[in-house]
PDB file of all heavy atoms in Angstrom:
ATOM      1  N   GLY A   1       9.541  29.142  -6.133  1.00 87.00           N
ATOM      2  CA  GLY A   1      10.030  28.620  -4.866  1.00 87.00           C
ATOM      3  C   GLY A   1       9.432  27.284  -4.478  1.00 87.00           C
ATOM      4  O   GLY A   1       9.617  26.853  -3.338  1.00 87.00           O
ATOM      5  N   ARG A   2       8.659  26.621  -5.355  1.00 90.00           N
ATOM      6  CA  ARG A   2       8.005  25.338  -4.991  1.00 90.00           C
ATOM      7  C   ARG A   2       9.092  24.239  -4.892  1.00 90.00           C
ATOM      8  O   ARG A   2      10.124  24.305  -5.551  1.00 90.00           O
ATOM      9  CB  ARG A   2       7.016  24.939  -6.089  1.00 90.00           C
ATOM     10  CG  ARG A   2       5.962  26.025  -6.337  1.00 90.00           C
ATOM     11  CD  ARG A   2       4.877  26.062  -5.258  1.00 90.00           C
ATOM     12  NE  ARG A   2       3.838  27.003  -5.657  1.00 90.00           N
ATOM     13  CZ  ARG A   2       2.804  26.715  -6.392  1.00 90.00           C
ATOM     14  NH1 ARG A   2       2.622  25.441  -6.838  1.00 90.00           N
ATOM     15  NH2 ARG A   2       1.854  27.630  -6.642  1.00 90.00           N
ATOM     16  N   GLU A   3       8.827  23.204  -4.147  1.00 93.00           N
ATOM     17  CA  GLU A   3       9.761  22.082  -3.990  1.00 93.00           C
ATOM     18  C   GLU A   3       9.678  21.212  -5.276  1.00 93.00           C
ATOM     19  O   GLU A   3       8.611  21.206  -5.964  1.00 93.00           O
ATOM     20  CB  GLU A   3       9.372  21.235  -2.791  1.00 93.00           C
ATOM     21  CG  GLU A   3       9.702  21.901  -1.459  1.00 93.00           C
ATOM     22  CD  GLU A   3       9.497  20.895  -0.301  1.00 93.00           C
ATOM     23  OE1 GLU A   3       8.823  19.884  -0.510  1.00 93.00           O
ATOM     24  OE2 GLU A   3      10.022  21.205   0.778  1.00 93.00           O
ATOM     25  N   LEU A   4      10.801  20.601  -5.554  1.00 94.00           N
ATOM     26  CA  LEU A   4      10.882  19.759  -6.790  1.00 94.00           C
ATOM     27  C   LEU A   4       9.875  18.649  -6.775  1.00 94.00           C
ATOM     28  O   LEU A   4       9.219  18.388  -7.813  1.00 94.00           O
ATOM     29  CB  LEU A   4      12.310  19.185  -6.872  1.00 94.00           C
ATOM     30  CG  LEU A   4      12.547  18.217  -8.062  1.00 94.00           C
ATOM     31  CD1 LEU A   4      12.446  18.979  -9.375  1.00 94.00           C
ATOM     32  CD2 LEU A   4      13.985  17.619  -7.907  1.00 94.00           C
ATOM     33  N   ASN A   5       9.671  17.992  -5.626  1.00 94.00           N
ATOM     34  CA  ASN A   5       8.755  16.858  -5.587  1.00 94.00           C
ATOM     35  C   ASN A   5       7.321  17.284  -5.933  1.00 94.00           C
ATOM     36  O   ASN A   5       6.688  16.613  -6.734  1.00 94.00           O
ATOM     37  CB  ASN A   5       8.771  16.255  -4.185  1.00 94.00           C
ATOM     38  CG  ASN A   5       7.712  15.202  -3.975  1.00 94.00           C
ATOM     39  OD1 ASN A   5       7.725  14.170  -4.663  1.00 94.00           O
ATOM     40  ND2 ASN A   5       6.825  15.403  -3.049  1.00 94.00           N
ATOM     41  N   GLY A   6       6.857  18.424  -5.349  1.00 94.00           N
ATOM     42  CA  GLY A   6       5.505  18.873  -5.652  1.00 94.00           C
ATOM     43  C   GLY A   6       5.301  19.259  -7.125  1.00 94.00           C
ATOM     44  O   GLY A   6       4.286  18.953  -7.730  1.00 94.00           O
ATOM     45  N   VAL A   7       6.338  19.980  -7.682  1.00 94.00           N
ATOM     46  CA  VAL A   7       6.214  20.366  -9.086  1.00 94.00           C
ATOM     47  C   VAL A   7       6.187  19.198 -10.022  1.00 94.00           C
ATOM     48  O   VAL A   7       5.498  19.141 -11.019  1.00 94.00           O
ATOM     49  CB  VAL A   7       7.339  21.336  -9.403  1.00 94.00           C
ATOM     50  CG1 VAL A   7       7.301  21.747 -10.912  1.00 94.00           C
ATOM     51  CG2 VAL A   7       7.244  22.575  -8.591  1.00 94.00           C
ATOM     52  N   LEU A   8       7.024  18.174  -9.742  1.00 94.00           N
ATOM     53  CA  LEU A   8       7.111  16.956 -10.578  1.00 94.00           C
ATOM     54  C   LEU A   8       5.794  16.198 -10.487  1.00 94.00           C
ATOM     55  O   LEU A   8       5.326  15.600 -11.495  1.00 94.00           O
ATOM     56  CB  LEU A   8       8.257  16.074 -10.152  1.00 94.00           C
ATOM     57  CG  LEU A   8       9.645  16.482 -10.669  1.00 94.00           C
ATOM     58  CD1 LEU A   8      10.668  15.470 -10.211  1.00 94.00           C
ATOM     59  CD2 LEU A   8       9.640  16.585 -12.199  1.00 94.00           C
ATOM     60  N   ARG A   9       5.136  16.165  -9.348  1.00 94.00           N
ATOM     61  CA  ARG A   9       3.873  15.449  -9.210  1.00 94.00           C
ATOM     62  C   ARG A   9       2.778  16.169 -10.092  1.00 94.00           C
ATOM     63  O   ARG A   9       2.018  15.494 -10.777  1.00 94.00           O
ATOM     64  CB  ARG A   9       3.419  15.355  -7.767  1.00 94.00           C
ATOM     65  CG  ARG A   9       4.238  14.436  -6.885  1.00 94.00           C
ATOM     66  CD  ARG A   9       3.723  14.321  -5.518  1.00 94.00           C
ATOM     67  NE  ARG A   9       4.567  13.467  -4.690  1.00 94.00           N
ATOM     68  CZ  ARG A   9       4.466  12.155  -4.658  1.00 94.00           C
ATOM     69  NH1 ARG A   9       3.529  11.527  -5.367  1.00 94.00           N
ATOM     70  NH2 ARG A   9       5.294  11.416  -3.897  1.00 94.00           N
ATOM     71  N   SER A  10       2.757  17.493 -10.046  1.00 93.00           N
ATOM     72  CA  SER A  10       1.819  18.228 -10.864  1.00 93.00           C
ATOM     73  C   SER A  10       2.146  18.038 -12.321  1.00 93.00           C
ATOM     74  O   SER A  10       1.243  17.890 -13.189  1.00 93.00           O
ATOM     75  CB  SER A  10       1.898  19.724 -10.474  1.00 93.00           C
ATOM     76  OG  SER A  10       1.107  20.482 -11.294  1.00 93.00           O
ATOM     77  N   HIS A  11       3.455  18.060 -12.696  1.00 93.00           N
ATOM     78  CA  HIS A  11       3.831  17.902 -14.059  1.00 93.00           C
ATOM     79  C   HIS A  11       3.494  16.520 -14.600  1.00 93.00           C
ATOM     80  O   HIS A  11       3.026  16.346 -15.698  1.00 93.00           O
ATOM     81  CB  HIS A  11       5.339  18.084 -14.105  1.00 93.00           C
ATOM     82  CG  HIS A  11       5.879  18.376 -15.510  1.00 93.00           C
ATOM     83  ND1 HIS A  11       5.442  19.444 -16.269  1.00 93.00           N
ATOM     84  CD2 HIS A  11       6.865  17.720 -16.252  1.00 93.00           C
ATOM     85  CE1 HIS A  11       6.094  19.461 -17.410  1.00 93.00           C
ATOM     86  NE2 HIS A  11       6.962  18.410 -17.412  1.00 93.00           N
ATOM     87  N   ALA A  12       3.649  15.468 -13.714  1.00 93.00           N
ATOM     88  CA  ALA A  12       3.276  14.125 -14.109  1.00 93.00           C
ATOM     89  C   ALA A  12       1.764  13.988 -14.317  1.00 93.00           C
ATOM     90  O   ALA A  12       1.324  13.293 -15.255  1.00 93.00           O
ATOM     91  CB  ALA A  12       3.766  13.172 -13.022  1.00 93.00           C
ATOM     92  N   ALA A  13       0.985  14.600 -13.490  1.00 93.00           N
ATOM     93  CA  ALA A  13      -0.486  14.548 -13.648  1.00 93.00           C
ATOM     94  C   ALA A  13      -0.873  15.199 -14.979  1.00 93.00           C
ATOM     95  O   ALA A  13      -1.730  14.681 -15.696  1.00 93.00           O
ATOM     96  CB  ALA A  13      -1.148  15.275 -12.478  1.00 93.00           C
ATOM     97  N   THR A  14      -0.247  16.315 -15.355  1.00 92.00           N
ATOM     98  CA  THR A  14      -0.526  16.903 -16.669  1.00 92.00           C
ATOM     99  C   THR A  14      -0.071  16.044 -17.786  1.00 92.00           C
ATOM    100  O   THR A  14      -0.779  15.919 -18.793  1.00 92.00           O
ATOM    101  CB  THR A  14       0.220  18.258 -16.765  1.00 92.00           C
ATOM    102  OG1 THR A  14      -0.177  19.142 -15.664  1.00 92.00           O
ATOM    103  CG2 THR A  14      -0.137  19.024 -18.054  1.00 92.00           C
ATOM    104  N   PHE A  15       1.042  15.366 -17.629  1.00 92.00           N
ATOM    105  CA  PHE A  15       1.544  14.440 -18.650  1.00 92.00           C
ATOM    106  C   PHE A  15       0.501  13.341 -18.901  1.00 92.00           C
ATOM    107  O   PHE A  15       0.188  12.992 -20.054  1.00 92.00           O
ATOM    108  CB  PHE A  15       2.859  13.824 -18.188  1.00 92.00           C
ATOM    109  CG  PHE A  15       3.456  12.810 -19.141  1.00 92.00           C
ATOM    110  CD1 PHE A  15       4.206  13.280 -20.233  1.00 92.00           C
ATOM    111  CD2 PHE A  15       3.240  11.485 -18.978  1.00 92.00           C
ATOM    112  CE1 PHE A  15       4.735  12.335 -21.144  1.00 92.00           C
ATOM    113  CE2 PHE A  15       3.820  10.539 -19.822  1.00 92.00           C
ATOM    114  CZ  PHE A  15       4.533  10.999 -20.917  1.00 92.00           C
ATOM    115  N   THR A  16      -0.016  12.753 -17.828  1.00 92.00           N
ATOM    116  CA  THR A  16      -1.036  11.722 -17.992  1.00 92.00           C
ATOM    117  C   THR A  16      -2.306  12.261 -18.645  1.00 92.00           C
ATOM    118  O   THR A  16      -2.887  11.573 -19.498  1.00 92.00           O
ATOM    119  CB  THR A  16      -1.380  11.135 -16.590  1.00 92.00           C
ATOM    120  OG1 THR A  16      -0.193  10.545 -16.013  1.00 92.00           O
ATOM    121  CG2 THR A  16      -2.480  10.051 -16.691  1.00 92.00           C
ATOM    122  N   GLU A  17      -2.657  13.478 -18.308  1.00 89.00           N
ATOM    123  CA  GLU A  17      -3.863  14.059 -18.884  1.00 89.00           C
ATOM    124  C   GLU A  17      -3.705  14.249 -20.401  1.00 89.00           C
ATOM    125  O   GLU A  17      -4.640  14.063 -21.153  1.00 89.00           O
ATOM    126  CB  GLU A  17      -4.156  15.412 -18.203  1.00 89.00           C
ATOM    127  CG  GLU A  17      -5.412  16.129 -18.738  1.00 89.00           C
ATOM    128  CD  GLU A  17      -5.603  17.488 -18.096  1.00 89.00           C
ATOM    129  OE1 GLU A  17      -4.931  17.747 -17.061  1.00 89.00           O
ATOM    130  OE2 GLU A  17      -6.445  18.239 -18.586  1.00 89.00           O
ATOM    131  N   ILE A  18      -2.503  14.636 -20.838  1.00 89.00           N
ATOM    132  CA  ILE A  18      -2.254  14.918 -22.219  1.00 89.00           C
ATOM    133  C   ILE A  18      -2.033  13.595 -23.074  1.00 89.00           C
ATOM    134  O   ILE A  18      -2.556  13.411 -24.151  1.00 89.00           O
ATOM    135  CB  ILE A  18      -1.047  15.850 -22.415  1.00 89.00           C
ATOM    136  CG1 ILE A  18      -1.376  17.246 -21.849  1.00 89.00           C
ATOM    137  CG2 ILE A  18      -0.654  15.965 -23.895  1.00 89.00           C
ATOM    138  CD1 ILE A  18      -0.227  18.168 -21.854  1.00 89.00           C
ATOM    139  N   THR A  19      -1.236  12.706 -22.504  1.00 88.00           N
ATOM    140  CA  THR A  19      -0.789  11.521 -23.243  1.00 88.00           C
ATOM    141  C   THR A  19      -1.541  10.260 -22.902  1.00 88.00           C
ATOM    142  O   THR A  19      -1.432   9.225 -23.614  1.00 88.00           O
ATOM    143  CB  THR A  19       0.681  11.251 -22.951  1.00 88.00           C
ATOM    144  OG1 THR A  19       0.880  10.884 -21.586  1.00 88.00           O
ATOM    145  CG2 THR A  19       1.494  12.511 -23.231  1.00 88.00           C
ATOM    146  N   SER A  20      -2.297  10.239 -21.741  1.00 88.00           N
ATOM    147  CA  SER A  20      -3.018   9.069 -21.333  1.00 88.00           C
ATOM    148  C   SER A  20      -2.086   8.000 -20.734  1.00 88.00           C
ATOM    149  O   SER A  20      -2.488   6.869 -20.461  1.00 88.00           O
ATOM    150  CB  SER A  20      -3.915   8.423 -22.401  1.00 88.00           C
ATOM    151  OG  SER A  20      -4.884   9.430 -22.800  1.00 88.00           O
ATOM    152  N   LEU A  21      -0.804   8.330 -20.574  1.00 91.00           N
ATOM    153  CA  LEU A  21       0.190   7.370 -20.019  1.00 91.00           C
ATOM    154  C   LEU A  21       0.175   7.585 -18.488  1.00 91.00           C
ATOM    155  O   LEU A  21       0.467   8.682 -18.046  1.00 91.00           O
ATOM    156  CB  LEU A  21       1.547   7.603 -20.570  1.00 91.00           C
ATOM    157  CG  LEU A  21       1.858   7.055 -21.979  1.00 91.00           C
ATOM    158  CD1 LEU A  21       3.237   7.476 -22.409  1.00 91.00           C
ATOM    159  CD2 LEU A  21       1.755   5.553 -22.017  1.00 91.00           C
ATOM    160  N   PRO A  22      -0.034   6.514 -17.716  1.00 93.00           N
ATOM    161  CA  PRO A  22      -0.067   6.719 -16.251  1.00 93.00           C
ATOM    162  C   PRO A  22       1.401   6.850 -15.720  1.00 93.00           C
ATOM    163  O   PRO A  22       2.310   6.221 -16.189  1.00 93.00           O
ATOM    164  CB  PRO A  22      -0.673   5.417 -15.729  1.00 93.00           C
ATOM    165  CG  PRO A  22      -0.439   4.416 -16.806  1.00 93.00           C
ATOM    166  CD  PRO A  22      -0.451   5.167 -18.100  1.00 93.00           C
ATOM    167  N   ILE A  23       1.576   7.699 -14.681  1.00 93.00           N
ATOM    168  CA  ILE A  23       2.859   7.946 -14.073  1.00 93.00           C
ATOM    169  C   ILE A  23       2.664   7.804 -12.561  1.00 93.00           C
ATOM    170  O   ILE A  23       1.715   8.321 -11.990  1.00 93.00           O
ATOM    171  CB  ILE A  23       3.400   9.315 -14.373  1.00 93.00           C
ATOM    172  CG1 ILE A  23       3.709   9.469 -15.870  1.00 93.00           C
ATOM    173  CG2 ILE A  23       4.722   9.550 -13.605  1.00 93.00           C
ATOM    174  CD1 ILE A  23       4.346  10.780 -16.211  1.00 93.00           C
ATOM    175  N   GLU A  24       3.618   7.126 -11.916  1.00 94.00           N
ATOM    176  CA  GLU A  24       3.640   7.083 -10.482  1.00 94.00           C
ATOM    177  C   GLU A  24       4.925   7.839 -10.008  1.00 94.00           C
ATOM    178  O   GLU A  24       6.002   7.627 -10.585  1.00 94.00           O
ATOM    179  CB  GLU A  24       3.702   5.612  -9.933  1.00 94.00           C
ATOM    180  CG  GLU A  24       2.390   4.914 -10.148  1.00 94.00           C
ATOM    181  CD  GLU A  24       2.460   3.505  -9.466  1.00 94.00           C
ATOM    182  OE1 GLU A  24       3.109   2.662 -10.037  1.00 94.00           O
ATOM    183  OE2 GLU A  24       1.787   3.365  -8.411  1.00 94.00           O
ATOM    184  N   VAL A  25       4.737   8.655  -8.958  1.00 94.00           N
ATOM    185  CA  VAL A  25       5.917   9.397  -8.436  1.00 94.00           C
ATOM    186  C   VAL A  25       6.116   8.929  -7.039  1.00 94.00           C
ATOM    187  O   VAL A  25       5.238   8.999  -6.138  1.00 94.00           O
ATOM    188  CB  VAL A  25       5.639  10.922  -8.474  1.00 94.00           C
ATOM    189  CG1 VAL A  25       6.817  11.664  -7.921  1.00 94.00           C
ATOM    190  CG2 VAL A  25       5.370  11.391  -9.890  1.00 94.00           C
ATOM    191  N   PHE A  26       7.343   8.499  -6.715  1.00 95.00           N
ATOM    192  CA  PHE A  26       7.685   7.980  -5.385  1.00 95.00           C
ATOM    193  C   PHE A  26       8.758   8.908  -4.813  1.00 95.00           C
ATOM    194  O   PHE A  26       9.676   9.354  -5.532  1.00 95.00           O
ATOM    195  CB  PHE A  26       8.212   6.555  -5.464  1.00 95.00           C
ATOM    196  CG  PHE A  26       7.210   5.567  -5.962  1.00 95.00           C
ATOM    197  CD1 PHE A  26       7.241   5.156  -7.268  1.00 95.00           C
ATOM    198  CD2 PHE A  26       6.226   5.063  -5.115  1.00 95.00           C
ATOM    199  CE1 PHE A  26       6.302   4.234  -7.744  1.00 95.00           C
ATOM    200  CE2 PHE A  26       5.267   4.186  -5.573  1.00 95.00           C
ATOM    201  CZ  PHE A  26       5.303   3.710  -6.900  1.00 95.00           C
ATOM    202  N   GLN A  27       8.733   9.105  -3.501  1.00 95.00           N
ATOM    203  CA  GLN A  27       9.746   9.879  -2.828  1.00 95.00           C
ATOM    204  C   GLN A  27      10.169   9.169  -1.573  1.00 95.00           C
ATOM    205  O   GLN A  27       9.367   8.623  -0.815  1.00 95.00           O
ATOM    206  CB  GLN A  27       9.195  11.328  -2.418  1.00 95.00           C
ATOM    207  CG  GLN A  27      10.161  12.083  -1.533  1.00 95.00           C
ATOM    208  CD  GLN A  27       9.532  13.428  -1.072  1.00 95.00           C
ATOM    209  OE1 GLN A  27       8.482  13.786  -1.565  1.00 95.00           O
ATOM    210  NE2 GLN A  27      10.208  14.098  -0.206  1.00 95.00           N
ATOM    211  N   SER A  28      11.519   9.203  -1.335  1.00 94.00           N
ATOM    212  CA  SER A  28      12.055   8.660  -0.093  1.00 94.00           C
ATOM    213  C   SER A  28      12.953   9.719   0.507  1.00 94.00           C
ATOM    214  O   SER A  28      13.730  10.360  -0.171  1.00 94.00           O
ATOM    215  CB  SER A  28      12.850   7.388  -0.337  1.00 94.00           C
ATOM    216  OG  SER A  28      13.976   7.617  -1.125  1.00 94.00           O
ATOM    217  N   GLY A  29      12.842   9.948   1.804  1.00 92.00           N
ATOM    218  CA  GLY A  29      13.592  10.984   2.482  1.00 92.00           C
ATOM    219  C   GLY A  29      12.934  12.340   2.317  1.00 92.00           C
ATOM    220  O   GLY A  29      11.975  12.514   1.559  1.00 92.00           O
ATOM    221  N   ASP A  30      13.418  13.313   3.070  1.00 92.00           N
ATOM    222  CA  ASP A  30      12.913  14.649   3.060  1.00 92.00           C
ATOM    223  C   ASP A  30      13.692  15.509   2.075  1.00 92.00           C
ATOM    224  O   ASP A  30      14.939  15.466   2.115  1.00 92.00           O
ATOM    225  CB  ASP A  30      12.949  15.268   4.454  1.00 92.00           C
ATOM    226  CG  ASP A  30      12.039  14.546   5.431  1.00 92.00           C
ATOM    227  OD1 ASP A  30      10.975  14.039   5.025  1.00 92.00           O
ATOM    228  OD2 ASP A  30      12.377  14.468   6.651  1.00 92.00           O
ATOM    229  N   GLU A  31      12.997  16.253   1.283  1.00 92.00           N
ATOM    230  CA  GLU A  31      13.676  17.133   0.330  1.00 92.00           C
ATOM    231  C   GLU A  31      14.356  18.284   1.008  1.00 92.00           C
ATOM    232  O   GLU A  31      13.703  19.042   1.734  1.00 92.00           O
ATOM    233  CB  GLU A  31      12.639  17.631  -0.700  1.00 92.00           C
ATOM    234  CG  GLU A  31      13.356  18.534  -1.795  1.00 92.00           C
ATOM    235  CD  GLU A  31      12.390  18.898  -2.901  1.00 92.00           C
ATOM    236  OE1 GLU A  31      11.338  18.256  -3.031  1.00 92.00           O
ATOM    237  OE2 GLU A  31      12.673  19.906  -3.591  1.00 92.00           O
ATOM    238  N   PRO A  32      15.679  18.463   0.834  1.00 89.00           N
ATOM    239  CA  PRO A  32      16.372  19.546   1.496  1.00 89.00           C
ATOM    240  C   PRO A  32      16.193  20.846   0.672  1.00 89.00           C
ATOM    241  O   PRO A  32      15.564  20.832  -0.370  1.00 89.00           O
ATOM    242  CB  PRO A  32      17.837  19.100   1.430  1.00 89.00           C
ATOM    243  CG  PRO A  32      17.900  18.315   0.175  1.00 89.00           C
ATOM    244  CD  PRO A  32      16.579  17.590   0.058  1.00 89.00           C
ATOM    245  N   ARG A  33      16.712  21.926   1.253  1.00 87.00           N
ATOM    246  CA  ARG A  33      16.686  23.190   0.518  1.00 87.00           C
ATOM    247  C   ARG A  33      17.717  23.191  -0.560  1.00 87.00           C
ATOM    248  O   ARG A  33      18.896  23.185  -0.312  1.00 87.00           O
ATOM    249  CB  ARG A  33      16.941  24.361   1.495  1.00 87.00           C
ATOM    250  CG  ARG A  33      15.860  24.607   2.543  1.00 87.00           C
ATOM    251  CD  ARG A  33      16.184  25.740   3.431  1.00 87.00           C
ATOM    252  NE  ARG A  33      16.437  26.987   2.654  1.00 87.00           N
ATOM    253  CZ  ARG A  33      16.870  28.089   3.174  1.00 87.00           C
ATOM    254  NH1 ARG A  33      17.188  28.123   4.449  1.00 87.00           N
ATOM    255  NH2 ARG A  33      17.016  29.144   2.429  1.00 87.00           N
ATOM    256  N   LEU A  34      17.247  23.104  -1.806  1.00 88.00           N
ATOM    257  CA  LEU A  34      18.104  23.081  -2.963  1.00 88.00           C
ATOM    258  C   LEU A  34      18.110  24.389  -3.667  1.00 88.00           C
ATOM    259  O   LEU A  34      17.077  25.108  -3.684  1.00 88.00           O
ATOM    260  CB  LEU A  34      17.670  21.952  -3.922  1.00 88.00           C
ATOM    261  CG  LEU A  34      17.733  20.480  -3.420  1.00 88.00           C
ATOM    262  CD1 LEU A  34      17.047  19.587  -4.388  1.00 88.00           C
ATOM    263  CD2 LEU A  34      19.155  20.090  -3.204  1.00 88.00           C
ATOM    264  N   PRO A  35      19.212  24.761  -4.314  1.00 88.00           N
ATOM    265  CA  PRO A  35      19.242  25.989  -5.096  1.00 88.00           C
ATOM    266  C   PRO A  35      18.169  25.937  -6.194  1.00 88.00           C
ATOM    267  O   PRO A  35      17.883  24.897  -6.730  1.00 88.00           O
ATOM    268  CB  PRO A  35      20.641  26.011  -5.658  1.00 88.00           C
ATOM    269  CG  PRO A  35      21.479  25.212  -4.763  1.00 88.00           C
ATOM    270  CD  PRO A  35      20.539  24.135  -4.272  1.00 88.00           C
ATOM    271  N   THR A  36      17.619  27.089  -6.496  1.00 88.00           N
ATOM    272  CA  THR A  36      16.561  27.158  -7.538  1.00 88.00           C
ATOM    273  C   THR A  36      17.110  26.613  -8.862  1.00 88.00           C
ATOM    274  O   THR A  36      16.398  25.886  -9.547  1.00 88.00           O
ATOM    275  CB  THR A  36      16.138  28.614  -7.710  1.00 88.00           C
ATOM    276  OG1 THR A  36      15.581  29.126  -6.510  1.00 88.00           O
ATOM    277  CG2 THR A  36      15.064  28.699  -8.818  1.00 88.00           C
ATOM    278  N   ALA A  37      18.318  26.972  -9.219  1.00 88.00           N
ATOM    279  CA  ALA A  37      18.894  26.472 -10.484  1.00 88.00           C
ATOM    280  C   ALA A  37      18.989  24.969 -10.521  1.00 88.00           C
ATOM    281  O   ALA A  37      18.770  24.329 -11.538  1.00 88.00           O
ATOM    282  CB  ALA A  37      20.278  27.134 -10.708  1.00 88.00           C
ATOM    283  N   THR A  38      19.366  24.345  -9.387  1.00 91.00           N
ATOM    284  CA  THR A  38      19.468  22.911  -9.292  1.00 91.00           C
ATOM    285  C   THR A  38      18.084  22.272  -9.524  1.00 91.00           C
ATOM    286  O   THR A  38      17.976  21.296 -10.315  1.00 91.00           O
ATOM    287  CB  THR A  38      20.027  22.459  -7.954  1.00 91.00           C
ATOM    288  OG1 THR A  38      21.309  23.047  -7.768  1.00 91.00           O
ATOM    289  CG2 THR A  38      20.148  20.949  -7.870  1.00 91.00           C
ATOM    290  N   ARG A  39      17.073  22.773  -8.835  1.00 92.00           N
ATOM    291  CA  ARG A  39      15.719  22.241  -9.052  1.00 92.00           C
ATOM    292  C   ARG A  39      15.243  22.403 -10.485  1.00 92.00           C
ATOM    293  O   ARG A  39      14.602  21.517 -11.048  1.00 92.00           O
ATOM    294  CB  ARG A  39      14.778  22.911  -8.077  1.00 92.00           C
ATOM    295  CG  ARG A  39      14.957  22.452  -6.659  1.00 92.00           C
ATOM    296  CD  ARG A  39      13.977  23.112  -5.679  1.00 92.00           C
ATOM    297  NE  ARG A  39      14.396  24.469  -5.347  1.00 92.00           N
ATOM    298  CZ  ARG A  39      13.676  25.561  -5.629  1.00 92.00           C
ATOM    299  NH1 ARG A  39      12.515  25.438  -6.219  1.00 92.00           N
ATOM    300  NH2 ARG A  39      14.125  26.708  -5.265  1.00 92.00           N
ATOM    301  N   ALA A  40      15.585  23.554 -11.059  1.00 92.00           N
ATOM    302  CA  ALA A  40      15.168  23.847 -12.468  1.00 92.00           C
ATOM    303  C   ALA A  40      15.838  22.816 -13.434  1.00 92.00           C
ATOM    304  O   ALA A  40      15.199  22.313 -14.391  1.00 92.00           O
ATOM    305  CB  ALA A  40      15.472  25.219 -12.900  1.00 92.00           C
ATOM    306  N   LEU A  41      17.146  22.523 -13.203  1.00 93.00           N
ATOM    307  CA  LEU A  41      17.873  21.632 -14.099  1.00 93.00           C
ATOM    308  C   LEU A  41      17.328  20.209 -13.932  1.00 93.00           C
ATOM    309  O   LEU A  41      17.144  19.499 -14.943  1.00 93.00           O
ATOM    310  CB  LEU A  41      19.321  21.691 -13.799  1.00 93.00           C
ATOM    311  CG  LEU A  41      20.056  22.999 -14.190  1.00 93.00           C
ATOM    312  CD1 LEU A  41      21.455  23.017 -13.614  1.00 93.00           C
ATOM    313  CD2 LEU A  41      20.110  23.118 -15.716  1.00 93.00           C
ATOM    314  N   LEU A  42      17.049  19.811 -12.726  1.00 95.00           N
ATOM    315  CA  LEU A  42      16.472  18.439 -12.484  1.00 95.00           C
ATOM    316  C   LEU A  42      15.102  18.355 -13.127  1.00 95.00           C
ATOM    317  O   LEU A  42      14.742  17.318 -13.696  1.00 95.00           O
ATOM    318  CB  LEU A  42      16.414  18.182 -10.948  1.00 95.00           C
ATOM    319  CG  LEU A  42      17.769  17.923 -10.276  1.00 95.00           C
ATOM    320  CD1 LEU A  42      17.619  17.956  -8.793  1.00 95.00           C
ATOM    321  CD2 LEU A  42      18.397  16.667 -10.738  1.00 95.00           C
TER     322      LEU A  42
END
C-alpha cells in the first residue's frame, strides 16, 4: 500500500548503492490514490 513516489525513492537509493550511479527523484503535484496494479506497472 505504499505510494509510488516513496517506493521509487527507496528503489533509487538502492540502485545508487549497488551501481554507484547517482539518481535524483523529482515530484510535482500530489500523488492521487492510484490502483495497486497501476503503481506496480509504473
Side-chain angles (χ1 to χ4, degrees):
R2 307 282 185 87
E3 289 188 341
L4 177 64
N5 175 60
V7 176
L8 280 182
R9 289 184 183 276
S10 175
H11 199 57
T14 304
F15 179 84
T16 299
E17 181 181 348
I18 293 174
T19 66
S20 300
L21 283 175
I23 296 183
E24 289 186 289
V25 181
F26 298 99
Q27 175 184 350
S28 65
D30 296 327
E31 180 173 344
R33 292 181 57 187
L34 296 171
T36 300
T38 300
R39 286 182 282 119
L41 291 170
L42 290 169

